[in-house]
Amino acid sequence: MKKILAAMLSGAVVVAALGGCGTYTDDGTGSSSSSSTGSSSSESAGASTSETGESDAGTDNTSFTFIGGHPVTLNPILSQSTDDGNSFYLLESSLFRYTQEGVQNELCESYDVSDDGLTYTFHLRDANWSDGEPITADQFAYAIYCYTSPDMGCPGASTYYDIAGAEAFNTGSGSWDDVGVKAVDDSTLTITLTEPNDDFILSLATSAPTPLRQDFVEAQGESLGSSVDSLQYCGPYVLSDWVLDSSLTFTKNPEYWNADETFPMETITLLKVEDANTAYSMFESGEVDAMTSVSTQYKDALAEYTTVETGAGGMMYLWINQNGTSDEVGEVLSNQNFRNALNYAFDRNSTVAAICPLNVPYSRLTLPFYEGLKEGSSFVDEYPVDSAPLDGDVEKAQEFLNAALEELGMSSVDELPEMHFVTWDTSQQRLLCETLIDQWKQNLGIDSIVLDQYPIGTAIGNYTSNNYDIFAISISSSLTPYDALDNFVDGGDYNKGIWTNEEYDALVEQIKATSDKAEKYELTQQAEQILVDGAGIIPFYGLSSAFATQPYVSGFGIGDLAAGFQFEHLTINK
Amino acid sequence: MKKQPATVSAAPQAATAITASDFQFIPREEKAADTVVRPSVSYWADVFRRIRQDKVAMISLGIIVIISLMAIFAPFFCPYDYATNNLSAINQPPSAEHWFGTDQLGRDLWARVWVGARVSLLIGLGGAIAPQIVGIFLGGISGYFGGWVDMFIMRVIDVGLCIPELVYVTLMMLLMGSGPMAIIATIAMVGWMGSARFIRGRILQFKNREFVLAAKAQGASPMRQIFRYILPNILGQQVVTITAAIPGAIFMEAYLSFIGLGIKSPMTSWGQLSQIGSSVFRTSPYQLWIPGALISVTILAFYLFGNSLRDALDPHLRD
Amino acid sequence: MGKYIFRRLVISIITIWLIATCSFFLLHMLPGNPFATDQILSQDMIDQLMDYYGLNEPLWKQYLTFMGNLLHGDFGTSYKYAGQSVNGIIAQKFPISAQLGLQAYLLSLPLGILFGIIAARKRGKAIDYGLVAFAVLGVSVPVFIVAALLQYVFAIKLQWFPVAQWKSFSYTILPTLTLAIGSIAGRTRTMRTLMLEVISEDYVKTAKAKGLSSAQIVWSHQIRNAIIPMIPNLGLEIVSILMGSFVVEQIFAIPGIGAYFVNSVTGLDYTMTLGLTVFFGVFVVGANFIIDLIYGLVDPRIRVVK
């Protein structure tokens, strides 16, 4: 679950790196639900109701053009990026749909859970593919076969490890027959889990496995999802035109089971415009109706069109590699006081305000969007941890530093070895690292931290092979606060031996073993405190999303957890 | 090139009008006018003299010298450090306090521009000259000798030019780090092939000319033929090529930093400054115009100076 | 002659093989893997993908597979754009870049040569200085500034042309101009210099002495000789202009091939980079082959020996 989220959500990294972002607000939801009924009649009304807009985008109210991230592949098996997921949201259906209102039943009309919490039985509704063929349970079973088969190379395979036998099958030690997915008949699918999991439905909704038809997938082979004709559609739209890295045209799919109630737009055009100045100009001149990201420099110019959603977009961290690029550096960086000196010495508030003002500075691990135990309150409010102040605390940082130097047997900061802050090529990333290095220099007198900038492939390669001392990169949000912590246990998804704490690992194990939510949260708080104190990973800021829409657009949403282009109730009224 | 004064077609008509009175007897001893009375001026002394007389060249040189001096000394006299951030004074337009304003991290642009000038001037000149030197040498050999040497070098160039330059740029920079010398070496490595080709073409054009054949007949060695007889004919064009390559080298560095391979932080360069400036040019235009104007002025000065130098160097262009 | 052409053909094929081989091994020397992008994947996911694409095989095996496919004219499937064949992407993107490049070339070649001739013939006059100033500005102002300015003035302020995208001829005008300005400027400078050299050559004086008209001298003695040194790089120049411009295509949101040359290398999309390199290489080698053949025709003093 965490892993597919990593794939689904990490697009926020890119977006944030470019200084932008995108999501929806509650206002949008509210106004859109009222307009959705009106708009379902607009199919026939078309342009007749349009006002005399100055816009060049045409005056019909059933087509929508926007600038956003483009999929690199529409092969559902090999897809790995958020941008792919966003488009799949419009093109395919799954058992559940993660909408602005939360998880909704999609192709699954209802489901039962066995008493032991292990077996889920899904009853599918009558629905068809865009070519009129019925959607059946064995298409789902075949799809999960594709996603977990060791021969298919699905990068998100581990998402399905909750399913009994899936891990063994995927790693080559088991067979498909033992995997707990069975199509009982055309409209009944059962899935058996390895252990009970309350979040399984949420996980299914966010990972959204699309059904696949065996004959078609086998006939397409490698070219599946590479063009308009090499993909089958069971979602609200079909793809009618696709110019790679340039434009995608979605046309409404009349066969979609809920076509009358939702997704009122007849055609949606998604443009890719990489240059922020050009995108702004196109928005300014009315050539497009919306943009999924707002670049920092146009923050003020676009203020009245922009919706900012803070929260689930992911989190930027500084990663401190305790092994270091050399033994000498390793010794310094494995000193907790030294790490904390770095942690306390920089001013998160003004750094974020200067470089990426749409984001929210943060110094703990769990993001504010996780719900608390009480209705309407959040986890972070109920379970505070003691962490570095957002303005920084130079005095405390110096105390940490002096303690560290004493422990290391050094008389001054000049004896510190050269440390490598590794990053990649975007200018925002560079600015961010430059100012951190400068703040450490100004506040602590450390001038032995150097910035190593590489092309992105090389930089991330260095990150994955632990060939860095300090690295700044964001990762996506997890579904729950304890999932977020699980990433950082020794050997966890994002902690390949850079930080180890047995107490922490034991607590995370304990969280997993507990089923009581309150207890889970309490343990989570304890574990988080250890992680924050340890400063192996230094939280920096939470990524926001910001998108701009023309005033006549309502219901535009990208949704939290970046589930996709949530245009269920998107309407325009020029 | 001035227009030739006499129209040759008029000559035959004039010839008919010649009478004996048009001729004059010259005493034998006056033929000594052929002997050289003034001291002989060497090629380089002559070049130097011509340059000095050229006003445009001198003004351009003056600009280059001023900019170079500023690059060397201005950062020492600036109250602000080029790398020190001041997050409470970001994106401030030029003022009495910050003459060129501040950038996105509140760093003083006046200081940054002159620190950047050091890098850009070094890389601009080095990156323009280095590939030419390699190119002249290998292109000269290739063009002059022909045969399998030519074939070999040309094949290397054919292959080398087609491999995406980013591949070796990345490799070189990863191997050599990202100091100015590494960048110059990288530019030389990528750029020599084009100039070698060009030189080869020029050598082919000149190697069968009479004056080269004459030198050859007198027993001049191949290297002497290339460097003493052919090269001066090509040098003029190459000087212009070098001045034309300066902007290329400056922007190559900016491009390298764009993909994460440029000069190492916190150093900066004009190319980088203008690139960052262009991303905010609708909101803080001065961040683009200041480095942009400096680049243009410098390049213009180099170009005009190069032009004059070419005129001075090229034996063809002398009156 | 037939034997000569055959020999050159063999050499050309060997050159292409060398290009493919050198690029293959150089590219694999770069650290990282195609799946290390800013979308961070867990090691499990990377391993899955590496296995699926056979990137964990020994390098020589991968090389043989690559060469085998290449012999069939198949560049393979992109790692980044899963499912997209490199051939398909080239087929979709190349014509757009080629059109843009050709338009810019057709605009810049005659204008650049013309400006160069005018500047050289009017040396030291106001028009010369004007053209030189233009040439210097054109070269010293980076293309991203030119593009942004043209876009700002003609698309946003005057609204004569669309801001970006690639739909009809009017969409092509601004990017064409952007590309052309730089190359007109460069060509003007080169042509002016070459013309100045030629003007004082003996054969030009001879032609004058023989009483040829000024136009005849310029045309058949000066221009022809001035152009010769430009020829050796012509092949590469034409091909590079056909292959698109990363910056211009990005600023005008043109779905050309330029960006792929950059992104595929920095993103280590091996198949894509190699496919583009070989495609580009075939073009360059082919163009050079033709140019070598006609080189001698243009300048009788040069004989491509043997």
Side-chain angles (χ1 to χ4, degrees):
Chain A
M1 175 200 309
K2 291 145 287 183
K3 289 170 189 170
I4 191 66
L5 270 174
M8 294 285 292
L9 295 179
S10 48
V13 178
V14 202
V15 176
L18 297 172
C21 301
T23 316
Y24 83 108
T25 51
D26 296 301
D27 304 341
T29 321
S31 56
S32 62
S33 43
S34 59
S35 54
S36 67
T37 39
S39 61
S40 52
S41 64
S42 68
E43 281 170 40
S44 52
S48 58
T49 54
S50 65
E51 291 168 275
T52 48
E54 307 154 304
S55 160
D56 295 342
T59 45
D60 72 308
N61 281 335
T62 56
S63 70
F64 182 76
T65 306
F66 72 113
I67 296 174
H70 260 233
V72 291
T73 178
L74 287 177
N75 180 329
I77 303 168
L78 291 173
S79 151
Q80 42 166 301
S81 83
T82 322
D83 292 327
D84 302 348
N86 284 342
S87 292
F88 277 129
Y89 192 87
L90 296 178
L91 295 172
E92 305 294 346
S93 290
S94 183
L95 292 169
F96 301 93
R97 186 175 284 276
Y98 191 85
T99 70
Q100 299 178 10
E101 288 93 10
V103 177
Q104 308 271 323
N105 284 11
E106 177 84 348
L107 293 176
C108 162
E109 199 158 27
S110 64
Y111 68 94
D112 319 310
V113 191
S114 65
D115 293 340
D116 59 5
L118 286 179
T119 305
Y120 285 72
T121 307
F122 300 99
H123 306 284
L124 306 190
R125 72 174 85 241
D126 281 336
N128 291 336
W129 293 83
S130 64
D131 61 1
E133 289 290 312
I135 300 171
T136 61
D138 60 308
Q139 289 162 1
F140 275 101
Y142 176 69
I144 293 176
Y145 166 79
C146 290
Y147 299 144
T148 53
S149 163
D151 308 325
M152 294 289 201
C154 173
S158 56
T159 322
Y160 301 96
Y161 283 3
D162 286 344
I163 300 173
E167 182 163 7
F169 176 54
N170 185 241
T171 50
S173 59
S175 87
W176 171 245
D177 297 331
D178 302 326
V179 178
V181 178
K182 295 284 170 290
V184 178
D185 56 46
D186 272 0
S187 63
T188 315
L189 179 77
T190 64
I191 294 182
T192 313
L193 305 187
T194 51
E195 53 189 42
N197 181 354
D198 292 344
D199 301 317
F200 183 62
I201 297 297
L202 180 60
S203 147
L204 267 185
T206 49
S207 61
T210 67
L212 293 171
R213 282 152 68 174
Q214 187 168 1
D215 51 345
F216 186 79
V217 170
E218 282 167 4
Q220 288 294 326
E222 271 205 331
S223 63
L224 179 71
S226 63
S227 66
V228 170
D229 299 323
S230 60
L231 188 63
Q232 287 171 315
Y233 310 95
C234 59
Y237 292 91
V238 298
L239 196 59
S240 52
D241 187 46
W242 181 12
V243 182
L244 189 68
D245 278 335
S246 175
S247 74
L248 285 165
T249 310
F250 303 90
T251 312
K252 194 157 168 77
N253 173 12
E255 292 282 349
Y256 178 60
W257 70 274
N258 203 10
D260 296 339
E261 299 295 322
T262 55
F263 296 101
M265 283 298 128
E266 282 299 315
T267 45
I268 294 175
T269 310
L270 168 58
L271 299 177
K272 178 172 180 173
V273 178
E274 279 190 279
D275 187 79
N277 294 325
T278 305
Y280 173 73
S281 305
M282 290 175 80
F283 185 83
E284 196 184 22
S285 67
E287 284 179 42
V288 294
D289 300 318
M291 297 191 284
T292 58
S293 70
V294 174
S295 123
T296 308
Q297 60 160 320
Y298 293 119
K299 172 178 70 85
D300 298 327
L302 287 171
E304 57 179 306
Y305 305 99
T306 305
T307 313
V308 180
E309 159 129 320
T310 60
M315 181 95 167
M316 174 66 94
Y317 299 93
L318 302 182
W319 308 73
I320 315 274
N321 182 5
Q322 298 199 23
N323 303 318
T325 45
S326 69
D327 292 344
E328 226 188 339
V329 178
E331 201 191 328
V332 174
L333 291 181
S334 48
N335 184 300
Q336 181 166 326
N337 282 323
F338 184 79
R339 294 197 303 270
N340 264 316
L342 297 183
N343 185 12
Y344 278 74
F346 68 97
D347 178 344
R348 288 173 171 81
N349 276 339
S350 28
T351 308
V352 170
I355 297 164
C356 40
L358 293 169
N359 296 317
V360 186
Y362 221 58
S363 66
R364 66 181 284 188
L365 201 80
T366 46
L367 286 160
F369 83 101
Y370 296 120
E371 279 171 22
L373 283 182
K374 288 178 232 109
E375 189 69 31
S377 84
S378 76
F379 174 83
V380 289
D381 294 333
E382 291 177 20
Y383 298 93
V385 297
D386 185 20
S387 61
L390 296 180
D391 286 330
D393 184 342
V394 178
E395 270 173 38
K396 207 163 173 198
Q398 278 164 350
E399 279 169 34
F400 277 124
L401 182 67
N402 291 333
L405 289 176
E406 201 169 309
E407 283 164 19
L408 292 165
M410 295 179 182
S411 56
S412 81
V413 287
D414 299 333
E415 291 174 36
L416 289 169
E418 190 173 83
M419 287 169 269
H420 297 270
F421 196 155
V422 177
T423 189
W424 66 91
D425 37 14
T426 59
S427 66
Q428 174 163 333
Q429 194 73 17
R430 182 184 168 116
L431 288 173
L432 197 68
C433 300
E434 279 179 342
T435 180
L436 285 178
I437 290 175
D438 187 66
Q439 290 183 50
W440 288 326
K441 188 177 168 188
Q442 284 187 33
N443 296 337
L444 299 175
I446 301 174
D447 53 9
S448 56
I449 300 177
V450 294
L451 185 60
D452 288 353
Q453 228 186 351
Y454 297 111
I456 185 145
T458 314
I460 306 281
N462 279 337
Y463 167 76
T464 48
S465 58
N466 278 352
N467 188 18
Y468 67 92
D469 296 320
I470 307 173
F471 202 90
I473 194 167
S474 54
I475 59 166
S476 46
S477 316
S478 302
L479 287 178
T480 61
Y482 34 91
D483 276 342
L485 295 188
D486 194 28
N487 290 326
F488 301 108
V489 299
D490 191 17
D493 283 349
Y494 297 114
N495 180 10
K496 285 183 280 295
I498 61 165
W499 180 76
T500 322
N501 185 307
E502 283 169 16
E503 202 186 338
Y504 176 83
D505 291 3
L507 274 171
V508 173
E509 277 309 306
Q510 229 178 312
I511 296 168
K512 279 188 193 164
T514 327
S515 55
D516 178 50
K517 204 165 186 182
E519 201 183 332
K520 271 191 176 204
Y521 273 12
E522 216 143 284
L523 292 167
T524 304
Q525 183 191 23
Q526 290 172 28
E528 188 179 0
Q529 185 67 56
I530 294 174
L531 188 61
V532 169
D533 287 344
I537 289 112
I538 300 178
F540 193 168
Y541 58 82
L543 304 182
S544 309
S545 20
F547 60 81
T549 49
Q550 304 280 9
Y552 52 78
V553 175
S554 67
F556 185 89
I558 305 175
D560 54 8
L561 292 175
F565 294 129
Q566 297 177 322
F567 296 162
E568 278 91 349
H569 307 301
L570 175 72
T571 52
I572 53 182
N573 190 13
K574 287 183 202 166
Chain B
M1 186 65 216
K2 282 182 186 140
K3 235 181 158 182
Q4 297 296 316
T7 44
V8 183
S9 55
Q13 293 157 7
T16 54
I18 293 176
T19 62
S21 62
D22 290 327
F23 295 93
Q24 185 187 353
F25 181 76
I26 299 175
R28 194 181 176 87
E29 53 273 21
E30 281 188 32
K31 280 192 176 167
D34 280 356
T35 53
V36 180
V37 286
R38 281 191 290 179
S40 130
V41 181
S42 80
Y43 174 69
W44 291 109
D46 188 42
V47 167
F48 186 64
R49 183 181 59 85
R50 282 163 190 276
I51 280 287
R52 258 195 332 201
Q53 284 171 350
D54 191 329
K55 269 191 203 131
V56 177
M58 287 291 104
I59 294 171
S60 313
L61 191 63
I63 293 173
I64 295 169
V65 169
I66 291 171
I67 289 179
S68 309
L69 289 177
M70 286 301 284
I72 296 169
F73 295 112
F76 293 126
F77 298 105
C78 176
Y80 301 98
D81 178 62
Y82 71 97
T84 303
N85 294 193
N86 180 359
L87 295 178
S88 56
I90 58 169
N91 291 328
Q92 293 197 343
S95 63
E97 205 170 320
H98 296 282
W99 293 352
F100 282 174
T102 61
D103 74 355
Q104 286 148 289
L105 293 178
R107 294 175 291 201
D108 183 62
L109 271 180
W110 169 264
R112 285 183 79 67
V113 155
W114 295 116
V115 168
R118 296 177 180 175
V119 175
S120 284
L121 289 177
L122 189 64
I123 290 176
L125 271 179
I129 293 172
Q132 288 294 330
I133 293 174
V134 184
I136 285 175
F137 189 70
L138 290 174
I141 291 175
S142 174
Y144 183 81
F145 289 105
W148 70 267
V149 178
D150 181 34
M151 187 56 105
F152 177 75
I153 294 179
M154 283 302 113
R155 269 347 91 192
V156 169
I157 292 177
D158 278 350
V159 174
L161 279 176
C162 291
I163 297 173
E165 59 182 36
L166 260 184
V167 174
Y168 7 77
V169 166
T170 316
L171 270 178
M172 290 273 292
M173 302 294 280
L174 290 178
L175 286 176
M176 299 178 54
S178 47
M181 287 306 146
I183 293 175
I184 291 173
T186 306
I187 294 174
M189 165 116 189
V190 175
W192 73 270
M193 295 178 277
S195 72
R197 259 233 176 112
F198 191 85
I199 296 287
R200 172 183 177 264
R202 301 283 289 175
I203 298 265
L204 287 181
Q205 208 181 350
F206 278 100
K207 81 171 187 188
N208 292 329
R209 296 286 290 270
E210 299 74 9
F211 55 91
V212 182
L213 289 177
K216 198 175 182 177
Q218 286 172 7
S221 73
M223 282 299 145
R224 189 173 160 78
Q225 287 172 41
I226 295 175
F227 287 101
R228 179 69 184 81
Y229 293 95
I230 301 178
L231 217 52
N233 288 288
I234 301 172
L235 216 54
Q237 170 60 24
Q238 287 323 104
V239 166
V240 174
T241 311
I242 286 172
T243 56
I246 291 174
I250 291 177
F251 293 125
M252 179 76 179
E253 189 277 324
Y255 173 69
L256 287 178
S257 62
F258 182 63
I259 55 167
L261 293 169
I263 198 90
K264 214 167 178 170
S265 168
M267 281 303 273
T268 187
S269 67
W270 284 350
Q272 270 182 36
L273 288 171
S274 63
Q275 198 155 36
I276 292 176
S278 79
S279 70
V280 292
F281 96 102
R282 299 276 297 265
T283 46
S284 305
Y286 65 94
Q287 289 187 25
L288 174 63
W289 298 132
I290 290 170
L294 277 168
I295 292 177
S296 300
V297 168
T298 310
I299 288 169
L300 184 69
F302 271 114
Y303 177 74
L304 293 176
F305 183 71
N307 254 2
S308 304
L309 192 61
R310 192 265 325 271
D311 292 357
L313 282 175
D314 197 327
H316 287 111
L317 297 171
R318 303 210 176 138
D319 300 321
Chain C
M1 195 62 180
K3 203 177 152 198
Y4 169 69
I5 293 178
F6 176 75
R7 228 184 85 163
R8 286 306 317 258
L9 210 64
V10 172
I11 291 172
S12 298
I13 289 168
I14 294 176
T15 309
I16 291 167
W17 171 75
L18 277 173
I19 291 170
T21 307
C22 293
S23 316
F24 180 88
F25 287 104
L26 284 175
L27 202 57
H28 279 268
M29 277 165 69
L30 295 177
N33 66 62
F35 312 110
T37 62
D38 47 3
Q39 309 244 339
I40 293 206
L41 301 182
S42 69
Q43 197 59 46
D44 288 354
M45 290 164 93
I46 292 177
D47 289 344
Q48 292 264 2
L49 288 164
M50 294 286 275
D51 276 343
Y52 180 74
Y53 287 111
L55 289 169
N56 289 330
E57 304 262 338
L59 201 55
W60 63 268
K61 248 186 177 171
Q62 294 183 41
Y63 175 69
L64 288 185
T65 317
F66 162 65
M67 272 300 162
N69 287 339
L70 200 59
L71 285 179
H72 297 101
D74 175 12
F75 294 140
T77 327
S78 161
Y79 295 128
K80 182 182 171 198
Y81 302 90
Q84 302 276 357
S85 73
V86 175
N87 300 53
I89 292 178
I90 293 176
Q92 194 180 21
K93 303 282 173 186
F94 175 65
I96 296 171
S97 290
Q99 185 196 340
L100 176 60
L102 270 182
Q103 281 181 206
Y105 194 72
L106 292 179
L107 186 67
S108 70
L109 184 70
L111 278 182
I113 290 180
L114 185 70
F115 287 174
I117 294 169
I118 293 173
R121 304 257 318 154
K122 305 283 177 197
R123 182 163 178 235
K125 305 249 172 68
I127 187 165
D128 178 29
Y129 285 117
L131 286 170
V132 167
F134 159 76
V136 174
L137 272 182
V139 180
S140 60
V141 178
V143 73
F144 55 81
I145 298 182
V146 176
L149 278 179
L150 287 178
Q151 199 180 46
Y152 186 71
V153 174
F154 293 104
I156 298 168
K157 286 291 150 203
L158 299 173
Q159 305 212 332
W160 289 356
F161 305 108
V163 176
Q165 294 187 73
W166 190 259
K167 287 178 185 162
S168 63
F169 181 69
S170 67
Y171 286 82
T172 72
I173 292 172
L174 288 182
T176 304
L177 269 181
T178 311
L179 266 187
I181 283 178
S183 64
I184 293 172
R187 210 179 294 282
T188 304
R189 284 173 71 158
T190 317
M191 193 64 198
R192 177 180 178 274
T193 316
L194 293 170
M195 277 297 283
L196 285 180
E197 270 174 33
V198 171
I199 280 174
S200 60
E201 286 283 359
D202 291 341
Y203 50 76
V204 174
K205 289 180 185 153
T206 312
K208 264 185 192 156
K210 277 169 27 191
L212 263 66
S213 75
S214 178
Q216 263 176 311
I217 294 173
V218 169
W219 179 247
S220 56
H221 291 276
Q222 295 180 348
I223 295 181
R224 208 174 122 178
N225 283 298
I227 287 176
I228 289 168
M230 294 169 105
I231 293 178
N233 284 322
L234 205 61
L236 191 70
E237 196 183 322
I238 293 175
V239 178
S240 349
I241 212 162
L242 292 182
M243 295 299 167
S245 152
F246 174 52
V247 178
V248 172
E249 287 176 7
Q250 178 166 324
I251 291 179
F252 290 100
I254 295 166
I257 205 161
Y260 295 82
F261 275 97
V262 179
N263 294 339
S264 70
V265 181
T266 53
L268 291 180
D269 191 343
Y270 300 126
T271 40
M272 180 76 100
T273 307
L274 290 171
L276 288 171
T277 306
V278 172
F279 179 69
F280 181 76
V282 169
F283 257 84
V284 177
V285 170
N288 284 340
F289 175 63
I290 295 166
I291 284 168
D292 263 7
L293 287 184
I294 60 170
Y295 203 47
L297 302 178
V298 185
D299 187 352
R301 285 172 304 184
I302 301 163
R303 291 280 171 246
V304 188
V305 266
K306 277 166 270 172

